[in-house]
Amino acid sequence: MHTSTTTLLLILSAFIPVSGVILAITPYLMPSGECFAVTIPAARSHDRALVGYRRMYCGIMVTCTTAVTAACMVAARLSPDHAFLPCFIIGLPALFILGYALMLVFRVKVQHVKQERGWHAEQRRAVAIIGSDGDVPHPISMWWNLLYVPVFALALAIGYAGYDRMPERIPLQVNLSGQVTRSMAKSRRWPSGSRR
C-alpha cells in the first residue's frame, strides 16, 4: 500500500474512536443538575439509577465504537480502495445516530425516575441587564477582531514567499491510492509579473 494512502487511512480512521469517545463521555460532561437533558436536583446527580444509566450509555457507545473501528481496520487491510470508504461513510454517521437515539431513550428513563421519586428542580433563566451601573459587565470590544489581521497577513506572506515553489498544477482531489484525479493550473493573477 502506498505511504500516502496509509497516512490518509490512519487520519480517517482516527475520526471514529475520537468521535465515539466524545459521544460516550457526553453524559459525564453535563452539569450536576442535568442528566440526559433532564433537569434534576443537583444533590440527586449520584443516584444509583442515574449512575447506572450513564454507565450503560457509555458502555454501549464504547462497544459500538470499538466494533466500527475494528470493521474499518479490517476493511482497510483487505481492500483499502473499495471496502474502507463505504465502511467509514456508513460507520461514522451510524455512531452519531446511535448516540442521539440512546440519548432520547435514557432521557425518557430519567424522566420516569424523576416523576416516580417526586424530584423537583428549580429552573434558572438568564436575563439581560440594561443599565449604566459600573458593575454591569460590558460586551467585548470589536477592536478584539483586529487580532485576526496578523493571522491573515501571515497567511498572505507565506503564500507570497512560497508562490515560486508551488507546482504548475495544483492537486484538488486524490484517490486512496495517492493518485491525483483532479487538478487546476496555478493562478497567474499574482501582481508581480516577475513571479510567473
Side-chain angles (χ1 to χ4, degrees):
M1 189 185 300
H2 199 274
T3 306
S4 60
T5 305
T6 306
T7 305
L8 180 62
L9 293 181
L10 287 173
I11 292 171
L12 287 176
S13 299
F15 279 102
I16 295 172
V18 168
S19 301
V21 167
I22 291 172
L23 287 170
I25 65 173
T26 298
Y28 297 98
L29 300 177
M30 294 181 182
S32 59
E34 190 174 316
C35 184
F36 292 102
V38 177
T39 305
I40 59 170
R44 305 292 184 181
S45 63
H46 298 293
D47 182 87
R48 182 177 295 180
L50 304 186
V51 170
Y53 293 155
R54 290 189 196 103
R55 286 179 181 168
M56 193 179 303
Y57 173 88
C58 184
I60 293 171
M61 290 307 302
V62 167
T63 302
C64 292
T65 299
T66 304
V68 173
T69 304
C72 285
M73 290 175 67
V74 170
R77 183 79 174 165
L78 296 177
S79 178
D81 294 332
H82 302 290
F84 172 78
L85 207 53
C87 187
F88 176 81
I89 290 173
I90 294 169
L92 188 59
L95 280 179
F96 283 101
I97 293 169
L98 175 65
Y100 181 72
L102 285 175
M103 279 282 182
L104 295 179
V105 169
F106 284 108
R107 174 181 166 81
V108 172
K109 291 180 179 291
V110 172
Q111 286 174 333
H112 285 151
V113 170
K114 179 179 177 181
Q115 187 176 8
E116 286 174 2
R117 302 190 183 176
W119 291 345
H120 297 284
E122 295 180 1
Q123 294 182 347
R124 297 179 180 178
R125 293 186 179 181
V127 296
I129 302 173
I130 301 174
S132 59
D133 189 9
D135 294 334
V136 177
H138 296 286
I140 297 174
S141 171
M142 294 295 286
W143 289 102
W144 282 98
N145 287 325
L146 292 177
L147 290 175
Y148 295 114
V149 173
V151 177
F152 291 136
L154 180 62
L156 285 174
I158 291 172
Y160 183 81
Y163 188 79
D164 289 334
R165 297 183 193 91
M166 290 175 64
E168 288 301 317
R169 294 201 63 82
I170 310 299
L172 298 178
Q173 183 180 6
V174 295
N175 60 20
L176 291 178
S177 299
Q179 299 169 338
V180 177
T181 55
R182 277 181 51 208
S183 64
M184 65 177 286
K186 182 166 63 171
S187 173
R188 296 296 184 183
R189 296 180 184 176
W190 200 269
S192 173
S194 63
R195 302 190 68 83
R196 292 189 175 194

